Amino acid sequence: MSAPSPATPGTGRIASIDALRGFDMFWIAGGRGALLAVIGIFVSPLPDWLKGQIEHARWEGFTAWDLIMPLFLFVVGLAMPLAFARRMEQGQTKRSLYFRVLRRVVVLWILGMMVQGHLLEFDRQTIHFYSNTLQAIAAGYLVASVLLFHLPVWGQLAGAAVLLIGYWLLMLLVPFGGHPAGTLEEKLNLALYIDEQALGIFRDGTTYTWILSSMAFAGMVLSGVFAGHLLRSRWSGGMKVLWLALGGAGCLAGGWLWSGGFDQWFQVTLVGSWRFPIIKHLFTSSMVLWAAGWSYLLMALFYLVIDVLGQRWVGWFFEILGANAITAYVAWNLISFPNIAERFVGGLARYLGTCGPALADVGKALTPVAAFLILWLVLLYMYRKGTFVRV
C-alpha cells in the first residue's frame, strides 16, 4: 500500500472519524424517530420541506436521508488507509491482512442477511441474499482493499474512475431482455435485470439494485479512502480541512454536471443522452460523486471542530455510537428497543396523554426517546469498559 507523497503515515486514531460514523449511525439507530418526536412537541405538523428531507427520493433526485447509506460507505473507506497502515507497522503481512479482509466481508454479509435478508426466519421463500447496506459495504470494502494493497494512490484514483465510468457506460450502452440500452426506469433497467436473473427468488423485491451497483459501492468506499490518505499526510490540520472542502466542492460539481445539471440550469443540450441522473436506487455514478461531495464537507467540518480546534466534547455524543457502530446497527435491527422502552415509560406516556394537548405531545415523544437512550446507554457502558466489537 502506498502512502500519499510526500508523506509519512500517521496512524493514530482520529476522533472525528468515530464522531462522523456515529453521526451517521444516529439517524438509522433510533435517533431519527427520537429527534422528530422531540421536534413534534414544538412544531406540529412538520413543515413540508423537512418531511421531504427525511424521506428517500422516490426515484430521481437526492434528499438528506439519501445520504445515510453512502456516508456509511465513505466512512468505511476513510478509516482503511489508517487501519491498514497501523497493522502493517505492527508487522502483519499482506497475506494476514487479506485473510482479515475476507473474514470481515463474510461476517458483514451474514450480518446483512440477518438484519434485512430474513436469514433468521430459516425460510427459503423469504431469504434475501443481497439486500442490505452491510453487504454493500462488504462488496465495496473488498474491491477497495485490493486496490489499496496493490496500487499507488494515483492507481487507486484511476481504479475509482474506471469503476464509475464503466458502470455508467454499461448502464447506458448495454441492451437487456429485449429492452433498449439506456433505459433507467424504476422497474426496467440493466442493474435490476441482472439482479432478477442472478438472484431470482432471493432478491428483495424492491427497486434497489445490488450486483452491478457494486461497482458504484466500491467507488463510494474509495472516495473515503482518498480522504483517509489526506488525513495521513504531513499537511497541517488547516490544509487538510481546506483540501477536504475543495474535494467536496469538486465532487458536488462533478455529480451535478454528470447528472445533466448544466443542461437543465441553462436550458441547453450538452450531455444529452449521455446524462446519468442522480438515482439512489441505482447508486448511479453521478450520485456517488454528489454523495461524496457532501461526505467530504461533513468530514471537513467534523475534523476542523474536533481534531484541529480540539473541541472533542462537541462530537462525544456521536463518538459513543461510532465506536461500536456495527453493534448499534445490528442491535437496533434485531432487538425491539421500543418495546423495552414501553416497559419503562409506557405508563407515564399514557398518563401524560390524558393531561391536555401540550403534555400529550410530550407523552408521545417519551417512548422513541427512551428507546434510543437505552441503546446509547448500553454503548456508553461498552465505551467506558473499553469493549469495542470489531468484525
Side-chain angles (χ1 to χ4, degrees), residues 18-19 21-23 25-31 34 312-325 327-329 331-332 335 337-338 340-341 367-385 387-388:
D18 278 338
R21 186 188 297 112
F23 172 77
M25 187 55 57
F26 169 82
W27 300 100
I28 52 179
R312 188 169 179 175
W313 63 271
V314 175
W316 180 77
F317 175 84
F318 296 122
E319 193 176 336
I320 302 304
L321 286 162
N324 269 302
T327 301
Y329 181 77
W332 183 261
I335 300 172
F337 285 93
I340 297 173
T367 300
V369 170
F372 171 75
L373 285 178
I374 291 169
L375 172 64
W376 189 85
L377 289 172
V378 170
L379 297 174
L380 175 63
Y381 176 81
M382 295 174 65
Y383 184 87
R384 289 184 169 174
K385 290 294 182 179
T387 303
F388 304 104

Side-chain angles (χ1 to χ4, degrees), residues 57-132:
R58 186 179 182 276
W59 185 243
E60 186 175 340
F62 196 86
T63 67
W65 193 245
D66 286 323
L67 183 60
I68 301 300
M69 177 183 173
L71 181 59
F72 210 160
L73 273 71
F74 175 86
V75 176
V76 168
L78 188 62
M80 287 173 67
L82 292 92
F84 287 165
R86 182 170 61 249
R87 293 191 178 98
M88 292 178 77
E89 288 181 353
Q90 292 170 352
Q92 295 187 31
T93 64
K94 193 173 291 185
R95 181 178 178 180
S96 66
L97 287 175
Y98 259 122
F99 177 79
R100 183 182 183 88
V101 166
L102 292 174
R103 184 187 67 183
R104 191 180 195 195
V105 167
V106 171
V107 172
L108 286 172
W109 207 279
I110 294 172
L111 288 175
M113 291 185 70
M114 290 170 58
V115 168
Q116 204 161 334
H118 303 288
L119 179 64
L120 299 181
E121 291 182 5
F122 299 103
D123 185 346
R124 181 173 174 271
Q125 299 300 318
T126 60
I127 288 178
H128 301 152
F129 181 71
Y130 194 177
S131 61
N132 184 263

Side-chain angles (χ1 to χ4, degrees), residues 121-290:
E121 291 182 5
F122 299 103
D123 185 346
R124 181 173 174 271
Q125 299 300 318
T126 60
I127 288 178
H128 301 152
F129 181 71
Y130 194 177
S131 61
N132 184 263
T133 299
L134 294 180
Q135 294 159 334
I137 289 173
Y141 175 74
L142 178 60
V143 175
S145 296
V146 173
L147 296 183
L148 266 170
F149 288 150
H150 298 288
L151 295 177
V153 176
W154 68 264
Q156 296 161 28
L157 283 165
V162 167
L163 287 165
L164 295 181
I165 294 173
Y167 181 46
W168 168 53
L169 293 177
L170 287 171
M171 291 294 287
L172 264 64
L173 298 180
V174 177
F176 59 94
H179 302 288
T183 303
L184 298 177
E185 299 176 11
E186 281 188 71
K187 297 183 180 180
L188 205 62
N189 57 76
L190 176 64
L192 188 64
Y193 177 78
I194 291 175
D195 282 356
E196 290 171 343
Q197 298 303 308
L199 299 177
I201 64 170
F202 300 110
R203 200 176 72 81
D204 62 1
T206 70
T207 56
Y208 286 93
T209 58
W210 303 95
I211 296 175
L212 191 60
S213 297
S214 297
M215 297 174 69
F217 299 154
M220 192 69 222
V221 173
L222 283 166
S223 72
V225 167
F226 304 137
H229 284 315
L230 174 62
L231 294 180
R232 290 186 59 227
S233 72
R234 278 186 168 178
W235 284 327
S236 67
M239 284 299 295
K240 292 176 183 178
V241 170
L242 175 61
W243 280 108
L244 285 169
L246 290 175
C251 286
L252 287 174
W256 180 72
L257 289 171
W258 205 343
S259 69
F262 187 91
D263 295 23
Q264 296 175 14
W265 187 271
F266 293 100
Q267 298 297 307
V268 297
T269 303
L270 294 181
V271 179
S273 61
W274 294 95
R275 171 177 175 262
F276 204 18
I278 294 175
I279 302 174
K280 165 74 163 35
H281 290 235
L282 300 179
F283 228 83
T284 56
S285 303
S286 58
M287 193 227 70
V288 169
L289 289 182
W290 187 256

Side-chain angles (χ1 to χ4, degrees), residues 277-311:
I278 294 175
I279 302 174
K280 165 74 163 35
H281 290 235
L282 300 179
F283 228 83
T284 56
S285 303
S286 58
M287 193 227 70
V288 169
L289 289 182
W290 187 256
W294 290 113
S295 299
Y296 271 98
L297 292 177
L298 280 172
M299 186 62 221
L301 177 62
F302 275 67
Y303 186 71
L304 172 64
V305 174
I306 295 172
D307 291 297
V308 176
L309 300 180
Q311 303 301 309

